[in-house]
Amino acid sequence: MSAFDPLADLDPAAYAPFRDPRDYILSWTDQIWIDKGLGRLGEHYADDIKVHTAYGETYDFDHVILNSVQKMSAFPNGGGGSGEDVVWEQRGPMGFISSHRVLKTGTNLGYWTYGPPTGRNWVSRTIAHCLVQDGKVIEEWLVRDEYAVLQSLGIDPERVAADMALASPVTGETMAIADDAGPFAGRYPDPAREGVSGKRPERFDDLCNQIVAMYDEVWNRRRFDRVIDYCDPKVVCHTVRLHRAQAIDAYQQQIIDLLAVFPDGRIEVRDLVVCESSELGTRIAAIWVLHGTYSGVPLYGPPTRTPVKVLGATHFEMRDGRILREWRLFDEIAVLAQIIGARNAAATR
C-alpha cells in the first residue's frame, strides 16, 4: 500500500471536529439516529440542501426533517442503520464526497408512509452519496432498496408503486422523470475526471477508467465474457432484495438477468469516488443511471415498451486491481412506478 495521505490537502475544518471524513459521516449518523438528536440536522445539512432520489428531489432542509420524524415514529427501535463503509474523496480544499453504505434494520411499530404498523422486522441497504462543503452536506444522491423494505413488512410492492405513480412520497407531487431534471440532469462524458460531485483528483484515474471500461464493455456492449478481466474469480455481489451472487458465472448471470428486462439498456456512469486505506484497502463508489425500454422479460408485469430510468449506486472493493466484492443498489419501486405510470397513461388515451 502506498504512503499516500488523503488528508494532506484537505483543510481539517472541512470535517471538524471529527478525526477525518469517515468519522464525520459515521459520528453524525449515530448522533442523529441512534442518539435521536434529530434537531441537530441543521448542524449537519445546509439550509438549501438538494436531495436527489429516483422519485424526484427536494431543495430544503425542512423536507429532511419532516421525512426523518415520520421514519423515527414508524421504526422507534431503528431506521438509521449501521454503517458498513464510507468511501470518500476530496473535492477542493474544504470539501469531499462521501458515499456511505448502510445496512438498515428495524421493527415497524408505528404509522408510516405506507400505512398502519405491521409489527414486522425489516432489513435493507441504502447508499447515501453526499457532497460536503465547509462542514455541511450541500447535495445528496440517495439510493434505497425499497423493495426489500416492503418485502420484509409484507406490503404489496405493486400497490405502493401504483400510489407512487400518482404522487412521490418524497415531494408529494406526481412523479415526472425527465432527462434534464434531478439526478438525470446534465451529461458527464468523462466521469473518471469529473462527475456530479465535481472534478476528481488525478491520482486514481487509471482505476476510474477501468470501472468506466467495465460498464462499457460488460454492460453496454454485452461482453459478458469479459467479466473475468475485471473481477476476481471469487467475486461476490450483494444487490437488491438482499440477493447475492458468488463467483464469475453467477455474477455474469445477474447482469444478464437485469438486462433481459431492459434489452436495450445502457449504463451511464455519473460519478466515481476512490478511497484507499491500509485497513480497508481500495474501494470505489459509483453513481450511475441505466437508460432502457421495458420491452424484455416481464419481471415487473406486462412490458409497456416505454422508457425507464434506473438510478443506481454501487460500491466496489478491489483486490489486486480487480473487483472482489460489489454492493449494487437501485430502487425497484421507483422502476415499478414508472412502468405503472406508463400503463395508466396508455389506458387514458
Side-chain angles (χ1 to χ4, degrees):
M1 190 70 65
S2 69
F4 168 69
D5 181 6
L7 295 173
D9 299 321
L10 185 59
D11 191 318
Y15 50 85
F18 305 102
R19 292 191 303 270
D20 52 37
R22 178 184 176 83
D23 186 37
Y24 168 98
I25 294 294
L26 295 177
S27 295
W28 265 120
T29 301
D30 288 350
Q31 289 172 10
I32 292 165
W33 288 101
I34 294 177
D35 299 339
K36 293 184 168 56
L38 190 58
R40 300 193 65 186
L41 276 171
E43 303 170 43
H44 184 53
Y45 287 106
D47 290 341
D48 58 350
I49 181 175
K50 302 175 186 176
V51 180
H52 308 284
T53 74
Y55 306 103
E57 52 189 356
T58 57
Y59 289 97
D60 62 75
F61 170 72
D62 288 342
H63 273 90
V64 176
I65 286 283
L66 291 172
N67 291 333
S68 299
V69 169
Q70 292 176 67
K71 196 159 193 178
M72 278 188 170
S73 176
F75 304 102
N77 66 339
S82 175
E84 291 189 311
D85 199 6
V86 178
V87 181
W88 71 272
E89 189 175 50
Q90 185 175 352
R91 294 293 184 268
M94 279 293 293
F96 59 92
I97 183 72
S98 157
S99 194
H100 180 200
R101 189 178 75 250
V102 184
L103 182 68
K104 295 188 174 185
T105 61
T107 308
N108 184 200
L109 299 175
Y111 278 80
W112 194 29
T113 307
Y114 304 135
T118 64
R120 297 177 65 165
N121 298 323
W122 64 286
V123 181
S124 75
R125 279 192 172 88
T126 294
I127 293 179
H129 200 80
C130 299
L131 182 60
V132 181
Q133 286 289 341
D134 301 316
K136 287 193 174 185
V137 179
I138 63 170
E139 195 162 6
E140 181 176 11
W141 293 262
L142 190 60
V143 180
R144 300 186 182 98
D145 182 5
E146 203 71 3
Y147 201 110
V149 176
L150 300 177
Q151 188 172 247
S152 296
L153 298 181
I155 298 172
D156 180 11
E158 292 228 7
R159 176 183 65 79
V160 171
D163 291 342
M164 289 181 179
L166 300 175
S168 163
V170 178
T171 65
E173 300 172 354
T174 301
M175 286 184 64
I177 295 177
D179 286 330
D180 58 351
F184 312 105
R187 289 292 176 266
Y188 298 89
D190 188 7
R193 292 297 306 120
E194 182 173 5
V196 295
S197 65
K199 290 186 177 179
R200 294 191 52 265
E202 296 181 1
R203 174 176 168 79
F204 296 110
D205 280 0
D206 288 346
L207 269 175
C208 288
N209 284 320
Q210 178 181 331
I211 294 298
V212 172
M214 184 274 294
Y215 279 118
D216 183 52
E217 284 197 285
V218 175
W219 289 76
N220 294 344
R221 290 199 273 151
R222 310 313 195 244
R223 286 295 305 272
F224 308 122
D225 58 314
R226 294 297 305 275
V227 164
I228 192 65
D229 297 322
Y230 294 100
C231 295
D232 188 277
K234 296 181 179 178
V235 63
V236 176
C237 181
H238 303 270
T239 188
V240 294
R241 306 191 207 181
L242 302 179
H243 289 171
R244 182 176 183 270
Q246 184 166 346
I248 297 296
D249 287 348
Y251 185 92
Q252 288 172 319
Q253 194 61 48
Q254 200 178 67
I255 297 172
I256 291 168
D257 290 347
L258 179 56
L259 289 174
V261 180
F262 310 102
D264 61 348
R266 291 184 60 82
I267 290 276
E268 174 202 358
V269 180
R270 297 184 61 80
D271 208 39
L272 289 167
V273 182
V274 184
C275 190
E276 182 182 88
S277 73
S278 56
E279 298 88 358
L280 299 172
T282 301
R283 291 102 66 225
I284 303 173
I287 290 290
W288 48 268
V289 174
L290 187 149
H291 301 266
T293 305
Y294 183 49
S295 58
V297 301
L299 180 63
Y300 303 113
T304 57
R305 294 173 176 78
T306 54
V308 172
K309 295 179 180 64
V310 183
L311 175 65
T314 295
H315 281 186
F316 299 102
E317 180 182 322
M318 310 297 288
R319 182 168 72 180
D320 298 328
R322 294 187 179 187
I323 298 165
L324 176 64
R325 293 184 181 88
E326 178 178 347
W327 292 262
R328 182 192 309 139
L329 296 185
F330 57 94
D331 193 331
E332 290 182 281
I333 304 303
V335 173
L336 256 174
Q338 293 176 65
I339 292 167
I340 292 172
R343 288 197 194 110
N344 292 343
T348 60
R349 285 201 290 268

